Amino acid sequence: RYEQFFELLLKHRDKIERVTFWGTHDGESWKNDFPVRGRTNYPLLFDRQLKKKRVYDAVAALGKG
């Protein structure tokens, strides 16, 4: 879904200045413990060990095309 989302953002880049992530890696995600206490979520481009996920490369490649 990240790739599709960023394709849409790039399509409308003349109207969009920036994209903000709430957290730099999954361990910092605002979605951990929300809305269910104790729930873990993995929504970001970097995992809990700060290693980039496969989707990171897919999103980064979009800007080069």
Side-chain angles (χ1 to χ4, degrees):
R1 304 290 290 166
Y2 263 119
E3 194 172 357
Q4 293 170 333
F5 181 67
F6 274 88
E7 285 173 344
L8 181 64
L9 293 176
L10 286 170
K11 180 180 176 182
H12 298 284
R13 73 178 103 204
D14 60 321
K15 298 170 187 74
I16 298 168
E17 285 188 30
R18 67 184 58 97
V19 175
T20 301
F21 287 88
W22 290 7
T24 54
H25 61 83
D26 289 339
E28 294 181 333
S29 171
W30 67 275
K31 294 191 81 174
N32 291 320
D33 292 320
F34 179 83
V36 179
R37 189 171 189 81
R39 183 184 82 172
T40 303
N41 207 302
Y42 305 95
L44 298 171
L45 298 176
F46 294 88
D47 67 16
R48 290 173 177 270
Q49 287 73 45
L50 300 175
K51 294 183 180 150
K52 63 182 179 179
K53 297 178 185 176
R54 284 183 288 162
V55 69
Y56 175 92
D57 291 323
V59 169
L62 291 174
K64 297 175 184 172

